[in-house]
């Protein structure tokens, strides 16, 4: 099976990090195709960055439909464009925030999230509400690291993340930690060792959830609100999206 | 004061309908600038349409910042890109779904929504949850009319909407109805007369809420998650969004 | 249009403060009639004070119906008697707590309330629950000032309110503050300047929401639980309320 | 011990009905003092009726404090003025709606409410929310009987209540029924026999909860928001409430 | 009437403590039969202990059905096996956690729980959610005392419990405290005196709630999910549970 | 890896059905060990059956710890004893209800449950609440089939399940169905084909989630409330559980 792992930001080195973490965790026989959108922000740290990134991410799903994919992963912790992506395909589409929440809730009764910038905390809160994990999460914490520092100044970033995870462990009454950024995909082991708690990370979790759904023969429901979008005209820079052949 | 009313879809005739409804309700001294994005879907009937439309909508906010605007309205019932838009400006930004919910909750204890297509109902449900109006809304109903039928076959559409509104009145135990599509902005009076219930409609409600906030000197908070986005590079078709001058 | 602003307590100087704040914010053409009930507590600082104050407030609504009013404002942060008042009129009736919550939620994703006495915090909590804003509010804080200190020892009161607002800003992760007392209606600007956050205040917010609803032609729904009360006998000191002519 | 059962409406025959039901259920040694306020509505069927009735009810609590009472019951299903009444005394104060909810939740996992008029259903819904029983209640139903019909046309009223209770039993998936009006206090046995479900009724439930709390030595907490109200001036018709001696 | 008070753990001295506390509070005419299961853990401090203890507790209910009982109390704060026990009898069955929550919510608007070990806090949280008291409880606190220390080192345990209760009083903004262990049944008065807050304790509360329900003629509903279990075969060590005679 | 699939009831033919369904879906390299407790009910159709079955299930986990297991599945839709089981092991433990909910929520925005007997619906409701999926589930439906009819009269049972699933599809506005009984593990394909909706079934879902967690190196957190139980004495028939060696 082939999983298309879409890094919604356009920083290729982060796509590499994410792709490698995905490949390491993938089952034999699972091919990871890690892709970077052609257009979009170099990092996603705001509602605005999220909204813009969704377009490139969706085009990567459409590319996957042409090139063949058995599942898709949206590798940004805000799960930007998740429901839109699901409309485009019969394959499963997994966001890394939801993936980490699901996994953390299966191994602990309460977890905390450690993310990058405090301003993105509200995005996690909205997702916890929508997905149903509000009460499983004790606290959304931020290490106050810009996303690209994970690439550019990894050591310092790791130190601060571990510090914040330790505070979560000591103050929040939790059993597990959720890492709140796709760029942390390669840090899970190190953090877990340093903190002494299980750490749920979204990219790796999403790979295994994708394999699980494909193994079950389950894909995105095409009945109801996740059915293929009604074909229609798009104008201007999005004209190429017009009149997608109707699929049912 | 000048309110920029952004119709996130690219059907100019619907922008006209919306703009006229906004102008009719606007206070003396309020200038309505109704705009259509250069790029995007001709109607918004899915999560996918919403995600794409957000880009053109956000560019209209940026245009408003250059041309001057005291408030912004996002005239699609899913409030696509609302929080992203708020990050771009100190002015208030109002979505028409939230506007209608707020107004309906002030004149009744329970309301129902009558929207276009059933598949968009989940979008309304997610907004009710996020905004806090879940328990004020008894039921989300659909007349099962494609959005553009409101433009193309208005009489038939109106008949079906009124029928569904009457079912809501008779079955749901409500005091008011919320119309679930920007394209219904000119139908409020006719529907309210036919149904015998107050009808909250989002475009008109958003105009008055915008005037209210501007009158109060209240704009989008620039502290916390709605602060201006951190300037950064965008690539490809979104390169023009790069390095917006930092604003604080 | 004429808005009847009812201060449910019987301290005339506070009615003047409230009326002046309302007049300053009112649109041209909006007449503010600020009234004090003939009977009731001089300040409202408990469930008991609220219950008693509701009677005088409701009589002021009835007076407004006789004298003419296009909207009513209940200018006490507990919104005492709000649903009862709505039953008495086709005009909109706005409580200042709800008004402030609505406005704060349109300019920020999370706010805190700063009120007078801690013992009234539960009133705000119950309103947040009933109106749907529980999750928008991070924390209900009290400056521990008796209400009438706002009139009698304004400088000291202002200092303590500002201190508590700063703590809210620094500790709560919020984008806006809601002031939790009608007697603070004239302090908004000063507090916002001192704290560096948008401040939503109920009296002024309610004036603009009233103008908005009247502008929309929306009044209290007379279908369902907010319909006019069934006429009936009242005894004793409330005999004058008997057999109000049936209205439909 | 002496329980003061306050019928918040001023229909003496209903007070008698309520008092007799309370006496029948009371333990040996429990004295029931059933009282009617001097002033107020003859029945309570709206938010307005509730607000007015609260005053007479609170004065009956104050009379109870003078005359001696070990517990108070507010015998109207909307629990009008409940928290205000609690502020006035160290004794327990029980509303009949809450009493019925508590008891029903102890003998079944889900119940439905059958009340008088549909327009009062929202009052029950708000109480379910505030008390925490929203999910225990499947449905709020109304027999559409004016309250005084329970006194004036008891047979017909009973027939309609039983019909609605049977519908609840057959359609709602419940284990118990809550009767939603103090005036039904003497009908419990007949309804339960006719419907074949346990029936929780508030007046009788409140008597036993009062006995329980007194037996436990538990009274209303005087720490926090239910402490005695701060003494202060009241004006006009409520001047007699001024300067209640401070109690702690 | 006879109440069978079942201590689900097998420490006889704790059963004695519980039985004596129950007897002291019981009304004249109420007989307390305090029982210890033949099999089970000596204390209940984990989900595992709870699950095992449920069997012995249920057998005590079956014994009660043979020997005669008018009500049952499950005297462990996690209310282990509560719904299962209700299936076995027409009598009321009360858990001590629910009993304490109900009572505390009738005398205060907010309470905190002080329990033994922090690891059992999640059990209390799940019960608060299921019963509907989540928002009435500000905080679940632990004195970090093993349950049997209440028996073996009572003085030291009491000191730590009082310390934690005082922290709750000073930090949580509450009006009452809920004691979170059946083994504290005899400490209520001392703690309340030391802390200056009403203290709701489950064993005593459950006795009075049992008396209340029996007095009302209310027992566990046999309609719906609490009906008698369908008779069936059990194997192995549970063969004696097979083919219980069908009861309806 | 080896997954121990525990059928908590003692009907060996159902264990076979479950084990075969698990084996068919398992990845190469995954060994399924399907086990039946030595003691317990032949089917689980009540809170009582659940409580008793938990003991045998837990002993199967303890057996797994001795014999070696990388993950455990509790193959009854009420997830009996789930948190207790988690305390006994570092391996992941998955309940089939939670597994099905997780999977259904990843491929649809709303699902309905179709279970066996209506009286078990409340068990599903409580789990939906505890796990956070209340709003993802539109309705809990029952085919009103005793569990063992799935073994004894499979054709008739299947027909009724499909009928109920079709009603769910036509009336509930859903995108997927959750099958509410472990005994339906082999029916997924047939039902999905007949109904035209994706069908999430718990046994198969739990196998893939177990593989996912093991692949991620994630096991039950041993920090906090899921830590190994404190060793202690058990009496009577449970004496063999005494003094389990402390593990950390």
């Amino acid at each position: 099976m082939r999983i298309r792992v879409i890094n919604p930001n356009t920083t290729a080195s982060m796509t590499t990090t994410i792709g490698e973490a995905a490949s390491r965790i993938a089952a034999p026989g699972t091919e990871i195709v890690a892709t970077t959108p052609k257009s979009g922000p170099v990092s996603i740290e705001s509602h605005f960055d999220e909204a813009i990134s969704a377009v490139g991410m969706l085009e990567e799903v459409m590319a996957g439909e042409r090139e063949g994919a058995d599942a898709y992963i949206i590798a940004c912790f805000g799960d930007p464009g998740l429901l839109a992506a699901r409309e485009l395909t019969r394959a499963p589409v997994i966001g890394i925030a939801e993936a980490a929440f699901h996994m953390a809730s299966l191994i602990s009764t309460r977890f905390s999230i450690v993310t990058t910038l405090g301003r993105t905390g509200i995005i996690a809160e909205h997702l916890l509400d929508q997905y149903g994990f509000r009460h499983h999460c004790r606290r959304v914490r931020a290490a106050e690291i810009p996303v690209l520092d994970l690439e550019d100044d990894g050591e310092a970033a790791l130190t601060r993340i571990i510090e914040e995870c330790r505070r979560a462990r000591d103050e929040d009454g939790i059993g597990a930690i959720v890492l709140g950024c796709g760029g942390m995909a390669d840090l899970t082991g190190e953090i877990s060792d340093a903190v002494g708690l299980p750490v749920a990370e979204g990219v790796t979790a999403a790979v295994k959830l994708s394999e699980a759904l494909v193994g079950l023969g389950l894909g995105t429901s095409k009945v109801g609100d996740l059915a293929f979008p009604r074909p229609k005209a798009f104008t201007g820079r999005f004209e190429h999206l017009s009149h997608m052949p109707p699929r049912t």
Side-chain angles (χ1 to χ4, degrees), chain A residues 17-18 20-22 24 150-151 158 179 181-191 201 203-204:
Chain A
T17 301
I18 288 169
E20 288 174 356
R24 269 194 302 273
L150 291 166
E151 296 293 304
L158 179 58
L179 293 184
C181 179
M184 301 178 184
D186 55 339
L187 309 178
T188 315
E190 227 165 329
I191 295 171
E201 187 282 321
V203 173
T204 46

Short mmCIF file of all heavy atoms in Angstrom, two decimals, chain A residues 17-18 20-22 24 150-151 158 179 181-191 201 203-204:
data_model
loop_
_atom_site.label_atom_id
_atom_site.label_comp_id
_atom_site.label_asym_id
_atom_site.label_seq_id
_atom_site.Cartn_x
_atom_site.Cartn_y
_atom_site.Cartn_z
N THR A 17 12.17 15.29 7.00
CA THR A 17 12.08 14.81 8.39
C THR A 17 10.83 13.97 8.59
O THR A 17 10.86 12.86 9.16
CB THR A 17 12.03 16.02 9.36
OG1 THR A 17 13.21 16.80 9.19
CG2 THR A 17 11.92 15.55 10.81
N ILE A 18 9.73 14.52 8.13
CA ILE A 18 8.43 13.85 8.30
C ILE A 18 8.41 12.53 7.53
O ILE A 18 7.98 11.48 8.04
CB ILE A 18 7.30 14.79 7.84
CG1 ILE A 18 7.12 15.93 8.87
CG2 ILE A 18 6.00 14.04 7.62
CD1 ILE A 18 6.23 17.06 8.40
N GLU A 20 10.88 10.67 6.60
CA GLU A 20 11.76 9.66 7.19
C GLU A 20 11.14 9.04 8.43
O GLU A 20 11.21 7.83 8.65
CB GLU A 20 13.12 10.28 7.51
CG GLU A 20 13.94 10.56 6.24
CD GLU A 20 15.24 11.30 6.52
OE1 GLU A 20 15.48 11.66 7.68
OE2 GLU A 20 16.00 11.52 5.55
N ALA A 21 10.52 9.90 9.26
CA ALA A 21 9.86 9.36 10.45
C ALA A 21 8.74 8.42 10.04
O ALA A 21 8.52 7.36 10.65
CB ALA A 21 9.32 10.50 11.32
N ALA A 22 8.01 8.79 9.00
CA ALA A 22 6.93 7.93 8.52
C ALA A 22 7.46 6.61 7.99
O ALA A 22 6.91 5.54 8.26
CB ALA A 22 6.12 8.66 7.44
N ARG A 24 10.26 5.09 8.72
CA ARG A 24 10.80 4.25 9.78
C ARG A 24 9.71 3.43 10.47
O ARG A 24 9.93 2.30 10.88
CB ARG A 24 11.53 5.12 10.83
CG ARG A 24 13.01 5.31 10.56
CD ARG A 24 13.73 5.88 11.78
NE ARG A 24 13.17 7.16 12.20
CZ ARG A 24 13.55 8.34 11.71
NH1 ARG A 24 14.49 8.41 10.78
NH2 ARG A 24 12.98 9.44 12.15
N LEU A 150 12.66 24.16 14.79
CA LEU A 150 12.82 22.71 14.90
C LEU A 150 13.81 22.20 13.88
O LEU A 150 14.53 21.22 14.11
CB LEU A 150 11.47 22.01 14.71
CG LEU A 150 10.45 22.22 15.83
CD1 LEU A 150 9.06 21.79 15.39
CD2 LEU A 150 10.87 21.44 17.07
N GLU A 151 13.84 22.88 12.71
CA GLU A 151 14.80 22.52 11.67
C GLU A 151 16.14 23.20 11.89
O GLU A 151 17.19 22.59 11.76
CB GLU A 151 14.25 22.93 10.29
CG GLU A 151 12.99 22.23 9.86
CD GLU A 151 13.22 20.74 9.61
OE1 GLU A 151 14.11 20.40 8.80
OE2 GLU A 151 12.53 19.93 10.25
N LEU A 158 14.73 21.17 21.13
CA LEU A 158 14.48 19.93 21.86
C LEU A 158 14.55 20.16 23.37
O LEU A 158 13.72 19.67 24.14
CB LEU A 158 15.49 18.87 21.42
CG LEU A 158 15.37 17.52 22.11
CD1 LEU A 158 14.00 16.90 21.90
CD2 LEU A 158 16.45 16.55 21.59
N LEU A 179 2.64 15.36 21.24
CA LEU A 179 3.51 16.38 20.63
C LEU A 179 2.72 17.14 19.58
O LEU A 179 2.10 16.53 18.70
CB LEU A 179 4.74 15.73 20.00
CG LEU A 179 5.72 15.09 20.99
CD1 LEU A 179 6.95 14.57 20.23
CD2 LEU A 179 6.16 16.12 22.04
N CYS A 181 3.30 19.17 16.87
CA CYS A 181 3.83 19.72 15.62
C CYS A 181 4.42 18.60 14.79
O CYS A 181 5.16 17.76 15.32
CB CYS A 181 4.90 20.78 15.89
SG CYS A 181 5.60 21.48 14.37
N GLY A 182 4.13 18.61 13.51
CA GLY A 182 4.65 17.59 12.60
C GLY A 182 6.17 17.58 12.57
O GLY A 182 6.80 16.54 12.36
N GLY A 183 6.76 18.74 12.82
CA GLY A 183 8.21 18.84 12.78
C GLY A 183 8.90 18.13 13.94
O GLY A 183 10.12 18.04 13.99
N MET A 184 8.11 17.65 14.89
CA MET A 184 8.70 16.92 16.03
C MET A 184 8.69 15.41 15.79
O MET A 184 8.98 14.64 16.71
CB MET A 184 7.89 17.22 17.31
CG MET A 184 7.80 18.69 17.71
SD MET A 184 6.77 18.91 19.21
CE MET A 184 6.73 20.72 19.36
N ALA A 185 8.37 14.99 14.54
CA ALA A 185 8.13 13.57 14.28
C ALA A 185 9.34 12.70 14.62
O ALA A 185 9.19 11.51 14.92
CB ALA A 185 7.73 13.37 12.82
N ASP A 186 10.53 13.28 14.57
CA ASP A 186 11.71 12.46 14.82
C ASP A 186 12.18 12.55 16.27
O ASP A 186 13.22 11.98 16.61
CB ASP A 186 12.84 12.87 13.88
CG ASP A 186 13.15 14.35 13.97
OD1 ASP A 186 12.27 15.12 14.44
OD2 ASP A 186 14.25 14.77 13.57
N LEU A 187 11.46 13.27 17.09
CA LEU A 187 11.94 13.51 18.46
C LEU A 187 11.26 12.63 19.50
O LEU A 187 11.62 12.65 20.69
CB LEU A 187 11.70 14.98 18.85
CG LEU A 187 12.22 16.03 17.87
CD1 LEU A 187 11.86 17.42 18.37
CD2 LEU A 187 13.73 15.89 17.70
N THR A 188 10.29 11.83 19.07
CA THR A 188 9.44 11.11 20.01
C THR A 188 10.23 10.28 21.01
O THR A 188 10.01 10.36 22.22
CB THR A 188 8.48 10.19 19.23
OG1 THR A 188 7.93 10.94 18.14
CG2 THR A 188 7.36 9.71 20.12
N GLY A 189 11.14 9.48 20.51
CA GLY A 189 11.87 8.58 21.39
C GLY A 189 12.68 9.34 22.42
O GLY A 189 12.64 9.05 23.62
N GLU A 190 13.39 10.35 21.93
CA GLU A 190 14.24 11.12 22.83
C GLU A 190 13.42 11.78 23.93
O GLU A 190 13.80 11.79 25.10
CB GLU A 190 14.98 12.19 22.01
CG GLU A 190 16.45 12.26 22.30
CD GLU A 190 17.15 13.08 21.21
OE1 GLU A 190 16.68 13.06 20.03
OE2 GLU A 190 18.14 13.74 21.52
N ILE A 191 12.29 12.35 23.54
CA ILE A 191 11.46 13.04 24.53
C ILE A 191 10.88 12.05 25.53
O ILE A 191 10.90 12.27 26.74
CB ILE A 191 10.34 13.83 23.83
CG1 ILE A 191 10.95 14.96 22.98
CG2 ILE A 191 9.34 14.39 24.83
CD1 ILE A 191 9.98 15.67 22.08
N GLU A 201 2.85 10.90 18.98
CA GLU A 201 3.25 11.85 17.94
C GLU A 201 2.41 11.56 16.71
O GLU A 201 2.18 10.39 16.36
CB GLU A 201 4.74 11.70 17.68
CG GLU A 201 5.34 12.74 16.75
CD GLU A 201 5.03 12.45 15.31
OE1 GLU A 201 5.05 11.24 14.95
OE2 GLU A 201 4.74 13.40 14.55
N VAL A 203 2.55 12.13 13.23
CA VAL A 203 2.92 11.59 11.92
C VAL A 203 2.99 10.06 12.01
O VAL A 203 2.40 9.34 11.20
CB VAL A 203 4.28 12.17 11.45
CG1 VAL A 203 4.75 11.46 10.18
CG2 VAL A 203 4.16 13.67 11.23
N THR A 204 3.72 9.61 13.01
CA THR A 204 3.86 8.16 13.15
C THR A 204 2.50 7.52 13.47
O THR A 204 2.16 6.47 12.94
CB THR A 204 4.89 7.86 14.26
OG1 THR A 204 4.61 8.70 15.40
CG2 THR A 204 6.30 8.15 13.78
#
